[in-house]
Amino acid sequence: MQYYSLGKQSPHVNFKTAAITGQAPDKGLYFPIDIPKFTAAQIERFKTLDKASLAFEVMKPYVGGTIDDDSLQEICAETINFDFPLVTITSSISSLELFHGPTLAFKDVGARFMSRCLGYFSQQEKAASKLLGSNISSPITTVLVATSGDTGGAVANGFLGVEGVNVIILYPKGKVSLIQELQLTTCGQNITALEVDGSFDDCQAIVKDAFMDGELNQQYNLTSANSINVARWLPQQLYYFFAWQQWVKLYQDEQGNYPAMNIVVPSGNFGNICAGMMAKASGLPMGHFVAACNANDVVTRYLATEKYAIHQAIATVSNAMDVGNPSNFVRIMEILQNNFTHLTQALTSYSINDATTKSTIARVYKTNNYTLDPHGAVAFAAAEIYLSKNNFAKAVILETAHPVKFPEVVEEAIGEKIAIPASVQFLLDKQKVSIPLAANYAAFKQWMLQ
Ligand SMILES: *Cc1c(COP(=O)(O)O)cnc(C)c1O
């Protein structure tokens, strides 16, 4: 499998190069030359495969021989070694819970897969240079990542201890929750946390400048660990296969029929929903896609007006979706042949405000005894609108984070404390280690070059 740049000005590369470099030299996003097509017989078999084998079969064509089968099998099994339960909330809405990984948000899967791929490639390079009699063991890659909360923890956890890869995380001081901060500042080893005296936008601006800085790029092989990177983006397809396996179990009748699995995805950078659309394009039988957005409604507006107007990110209570210029939307357009009519047939989008998000958390808790996090609540509210216009339909919402990651909003809405899950309890005894940094590029560069 080769990948081309959506910028169309760079040479094709294989999965390994795409994963190591992140973005193409022309700054375009990488996209597979052809989307693998699973046969009906394969899809039928997928119904009963165990998760790890299914993950291997889905990812294998994308990895395109750059990782041997045994290693890829091991990478896949490790990546998804936790649950992805489909939980019924109402008679028409189920929740695919993607927060049972180590950092309690869906980004764990992408981060775990990408880190293991880079670890594999690093070992491969090391072995190759040994053969040539060289002892160079410099890291193949430095992962640079700005986070508003969730990405940092998932990347820190995913890359911890991966040989040959160093990770530098920039996060805004005082603007992430307690659990989030502990997740990204207590790892040590190859993970460094920079506590930036500024906003998430400042962190992101520093990272962007770093990628453009020739001097810095001479010293470091910099790469990003956000959904621009194919190794983080593509494994997100697996959620949809796992949802579908459970959907079929739940609803398939004796004739083999089951209701369409419509999917509602809380969307910011549109990486997750775009991965779902890839899964559908490769043959997974899925229904309609709904992009649930907060006040950051570039795509919602585009679908309504055919005008694509990016803007500054607006702060909301579902802050992991506060994105004013969603980077993966170009990939969605590529799947749909850059055709606006195809887009409107494949995708619907609703924008949900903070008041509705909070009242949805309160109402669903009271009525259905289910605790949504703010992102899941945006999806739930969007699902209700979609279903009200499509009688008899059913939908799956993706619950992308555990509510405990957003305690202020959720506890106020439900009027109760949320128990901290045992799996993150241990963090509370750990000591935060971070390096304070002024919110400007010069300070960052000086620190990097020192
Ligand atoms: C990152 C994130 C999202 C948005 O996902 P995209 O792939 O950027 O659209 C939604 N919810 C949570 C909890 C997240 O961390």
Side-chain angles (χ1 to χ4, degrees):
M1 170 76 72
Q2 294 279 300
Y3 291 80
Y4 62 98
S5 165
L6 294 182
K8 308 277 162 71
Q9 305 296 316
S10 300
H12 296 177
V13 297
N14 65 9
F15 176 79
K16 176 178 174 178
T17 303
I20 291 176
T21 55
Q23 226 165 335
D26 64 9
K27 305 291 167 204
L29 271 62
Y30 281 120
F31 195 86
I33 279 192
D34 34 45
I35 299 175
K37 291 278 187 299
F38 298 112
T39 64
Q42 273 176 307
I43 295 286
E44 189 58 33
R45 211 166 55 80
F46 286 175
K47 283 183 181 170
T48 50
L49 272 190
D50 65 273
K51 285 201 321 275
S53 310
L54 180 54
F56 171 75
E57 300 227 359
V58 173
M59 295 313 297
K60 184 175 152 76
Y62 290 100
V63 168
T66 59
I67 299 177
D68 68 83
D69 280 1
D70 285 350
S71 303
L72 182 60
Q73 236 147 16
E74 199 179 310
I75 290 171
C76 287
E78 283 178 20
T79 296
I80 49 97
N81 68 353
F82 45 85
D83 290 336
F84 301 82
L86 185 67
V87 176
T88 303
I89 307 181
T90 73
S91 57
S92 54
I93 301 178
S94 313
S95 164
L96 183 72
E97 295 184 348
L98 301 178
F99 56 71
H100 296 278
T103 73
L104 308 182
F106 84 93
K107 293 187 171 75
D108 277 328
V109 164
R112 289 164 74 79
F113 187 80
M114 177 182 167
S115 63
R116 283 161 178 79
C117 291
L118 291 190
Y120 175 91
F121 294 137
S122 158
Q123 288 297 317
Q124 205 181 40
E125 298 284 303
K126 210 165 133 186
S129 69
K130 236 193 201 140
L131 268 179
L132 293 171
S134 144
N135 262 327
I136 312 167
S137 61
S138 62
I140 58 160
T141 300
T142 298
V143 172
L144 206 54
V145 62
T147 184
S148 60
D150 280 342
T151 301
V155 169
N157 189 286
F159 281 83
L160 180 62
V162 174
E163 254 185 78
V165 184
N166 287 330
V167 176
I168 298 168
I169 300 167
L170 291 84
Y171 76 99
K173 176 180 173 167
K175 295 193 176 68
V176 302
S177 74
L178 173 68
I179 300 273
Q180 286 176 330
E181 183 167 39
L182 289 172
Q183 281 174 339
L184 59 93
T185 57
T186 58
C187 289
Q189 297 185 50
N190 57 330
I191 315 293
T192 306
L194 301 180
E195 186 175 6
V196 176
D197 195 3
S199 66
F200 168 62
D201 285 337
D202 293 327
C203 298
Q204 203 159 32
I206 291 173
V207 169
K208 280 202 175 130
D209 286 350
F211 285 120
M212 307 295 276
D213 185 326
E215 199 184 347
L216 208 60
N217 282 277
Q218 285 227 311
Q219 286 213 15
Y220 294 94
N221 293 322
L222 295 178
T223 193
S224 65
N226 59 25
S227 49
I228 284 174
N229 193 304
V230 294
R232 217 201 91 181
W233 168 56
L234 290 169
Q236 299 183 138
Q237 290 178 88
L238 299 174
Y239 311 139
Y240 302 86
F241 285 86
F242 297 158
W244 173 79
Q245 279 190 322
Q246 298 175 75
W247 186 262
V248 169
K249 266 212 186 90
L250 200 59
Y251 291 117
Q252 182 168 257
D253 65 19
E254 275 147 30
Q255 281 79 46
N257 298 317
Y258 50 88
M261 185 178 78
N262 301 301
I263 287 272
V264 186
V265 187
S267 296
N269 247 329
F270 281 69
N272 196 359
I273 193 168
C274 181
M277 296 172 97
M278 290 289 280
K280 186 175 182 180
S282 69
L284 185 68
M286 297 173 69
H288 194 68
F289 281 90
V290 178
C293 299
N294 58 26
N296 296 278
D297 61 353
V298 179
V299 173
T300 318
R301 279 170 190 268
Y302 180 58
L303 281 160
T305 63
E306 212 178 337
K307 290 200 176 69
Y308 199 78
I310 61 170
H311 57 68
Q312 286 281 312
I314 300 162
T316 74
V317 295
S318 48
N319 62 20
M321 311 186 327
D322 295 349
V323 179
N325 185 8
S327 42
N328 284 290
F329 191 67
V330 286
R331 283 184 169 140
I332 292 184
M333 290 310 289
E334 193 73 7
I335 297 172
L336 300 167
Q337 297 88 32
N338 291 296
N339 179 310
F340 185 74
T341 308
H342 292 177
L343 177 71
T344 55
Q345 285 161 357
L347 182 71
T348 300
S349 177
Y350 301 109
S351 161
I352 307 296
N353 65 29
D354 277 357
T356 304
T357 305
K358 292 183 198 169
S359 67
T360 302
I361 297 173
R363 178 166 53 85
V364 172
Y365 181 70
K366 226 165 131 187
T367 315
N368 308 100
N369 196 24
Y370 189 86
T371 311
L372 291 162
D373 98 292
H375 306 80
V378 168
F380 190 94
E384 286 184 313
I385 303 172
Y386 177 72
L387 294 176
S388 73
K389 297 177 180 182
N390 295 274
N391 276 339
F392 309 117
K394 293 182 189 295
V396 172
I397 64 162
L398 299 197
E399 190 26 304
T400 45
H402 192 293
V404 81
K405 293 193 96 172
F406 306 93
E408 291 85 7
V409 181
V410 177
E411 288 175 358
E412 196 193 307
I414 68 174
E416 274 177 44
K417 281 257 168 230
I418 317 167
I420 295 183
S423 65
V424 290
Q425 195 82 43
F426 76 98
L427 283 171
L428 301 173
D429 301 326
K430 289 213 169 184
Q431 194 66 38
K432 155 185 160 182
V433 179
S434 66
I435 295 166
L437 194 80
N440 65 71
Y441 184 66
F444 172 76
K445 183 168 178 177
Q446 193 187 4
W447 179 79
M448 286 290 281
L449 295 178
Q450 111 220 322

